[in-house]
Amino acid sequence: MKANDNDLLFEELCSDFERRLSKLTEPTVYGEGYVQHHYPGLFERVLNDAKTWITDWYHQYETDPDEEKITRDIMIQSIAALTGEVMYNAEVNGMFDRYLFLSQVFRHIGVMQYKAGWKKDGRETLLSAHYYLGNWKGAMAYEEWQLYGDNSQAVIEDKTRRGGEARARKFDWVKSEVIRLLGSGAVAGEWKSKDAAIRSISGELKAFISREDKKIRQENENIPRGKQERQPVGLIFNNLHRTISDWSRNDERVKAAFLGVIKRRK
């Protein structure tokens, strides 16, 4: 395929994505678009979330959006981490609107990659945008079907609980490292606040997560998915501070570790 053909194909993928998106807001027999009718306010909120994430992403790497200087490796890492976070929130917490959010972010990054000359990456990311847009529509259709199905609510809640517990365990090794870093990096009562303690251990924790995620992916390459003992956590590093803060309130082990190293106010 010639270069011009590749460009035309990419433009068509972009146009098709926008057409699929616009169909969600086109007036229907209800007098309003599909999203407005079934999920009022959702579409605007998700688009704003995507714009905010993209803006924060640029700021994190101290670059102007018009200059597009984010490196290829950072783009790939960001895509993998964001995908992991969205999949976790969708599967465990039922936040299926994050699929729609992910499609918007991937559409932007795909165009950015293509313009930067990483055309294969750009096409793959844009195809992922199409995929997660379809995932969102499918998840919404399934939720609507469930409202009229014969499934027992008790059975659904039990499956959700057991699935959530199993997936939540994949973060245990990260929490253990947080506890270890808190214990090894401070004399009891050294830090004046929880935020200060989190900032102090963040650098080492990020390096640890990156190493372990890479190791886990390598280990899992030749292991059937059903027999894989660990999965990469795929945490978004610019959300890491908030994640640890949440654990310090909701996880008893992490909470106890923080209590042991924060100065008591007199």
Side-chain angles (χ1 to χ4, degrees):
M1 187 178 288
K2 297 179 181 178
N4 287 343
D5 292 336
N6 280 322
D7 293 343
L8 289 172
L9 174 61
F10 188 79
E11 290 174 8
E12 182 56 30
L13 283 172
C14 290
S15 298
D16 188 54
F17 182 84
E18 297 303 325
R19 283 194 294 269
R20 294 179 66 193
L21 206 58
S22 66
K23 281 185 176 295
L24 298 173
T25 56
E26 286 177 358
T28 65
V29 292
Y30 303 109
E32 55 189 354
Y34 174 88
V35 177
Q36 288 88 340
H37 178 76
H38 292 280
Y39 312 99
L42 171 67
F43 199 74
E44 292 77 11
R45 177 172 59 79
V46 170
L47 288 180
N48 286 333
D49 285 350
K51 289 176 182 176
T52 299
W53 188 94
I54 290 165
T55 300
D56 290 344
W57 186 54
Y58 283 122
H59 289 166
Q60 181 184 1
Y61 296 104
E62 300 178 346
T63 184
D64 187 314
D66 294 328
E67 295 178 0
E68 301 177 340
K69 291 182 179 178
I70 297 177
T71 67
R72 179 175 182 267
D73 286 344
I74 288 175
M75 288 187 193
I76 292 172
Q77 290 169 11
S78 298
I79 287 170
L82 184 60
T83 301
E85 182 182 56
V86 167
M87 294 298 287
Y88 176 81
N89 281 322
E91 294 176 10
V92 175
N93 301 319
M95 297 170 63
F96 298 117
D97 59 325
R98 305 310 286 168
Y99 288 139
L100 180 59
F101 160 83
L102 190 60
S103 73
Q104 306 306 303
V105 173
F106 277 9
R107 197 272 186 198
H108 180 91
I109 295 179
V111 171
M112 187 177 174
Q113 289 172 315
Y114 199 87
K115 287 181 178 179
W118 305 307
K119 297 191 173 184
K120 183 174 182 292
D121 292 346
R123 285 194 298 271
E124 290 176 354
T125 304
L126 189 56
L127 287 171
S128 293
H130 278 270
Y131 172 80
Y132 286 106
L133 180 59
N135 257 20
W136 176 76
K137 291 182 67 178
M140 295 302 98
Y142 180 70
E143 277 199 329
E144 290 172 20
W145 173 82
Q146 278 193 314
L147 291 176
Y148 303 100
D150 296 326
N151 293 316
S152 162
Q153 187 62 30
V155 173
I156 294 173
E157 289 177 356
D158 182 61
K159 286 183 177 179
T160 301
R161 178 185 58 78
R162 287 187 284 111
E165 289 174 354
R167 292 183 181 90
R169 285 197 296 271
K170 81 174 187 176
F171 292 97
D172 282 351
W173 58 269
V174 183
K175 293 176 182 178
S176 295
E177 182 65 8
V178 170
I179 294 168
R180 188 192 71 79
L181 289 171
L182 288 172
S184 65
V187 176
E190 178 178 351
W191 286 301
K192 294 182 179 180
S193 68
K194 184 192 299 182
D195 284 345
I198 294 173
R199 286 194 299 271
S200 179
I201 68 172
S202 288
E204 289 184 67
L205 185 62
K206 288 176 184 178
F208 173 77
I209 291 172
S210 296
R211 289 195 305 272
E212 287 300 304
D213 271 1
K214 182 178 180 181
K215 186 188 302 182
I216 291 169
R217 290 190 182 94
Q218 291 173 342
E219 290 172 355
N220 288 345
E221 281 182 357
N222 299 314
I223 302 175
R225 186 168 183 81
K227 295 184 178 180
Q228 294 173 3
E229 296 182 359
R230 293 198 300 168
Q231 291 295 321
V233 292
L235 286 171
I236 301 292
F237 284 160
N238 59 350
N239 291 337
L240 188 60
H241 192 288
R242 185 180 64 191
T243 299
I244 299 173
S245 184
D246 289 343
W247 289 344
S248 73
R249 293 189 302 272
N250 304 322
D251 185 283
E252 291 302 321
R253 293 191 307 137
V254 179
K255 183 177 181 179
F258 272 97
L259 288 174
V261 297
I262 304 300
K263 273 186 179 179
R264 301 289 184 185
R265 292 184 179 179
K266 298 181 180 179

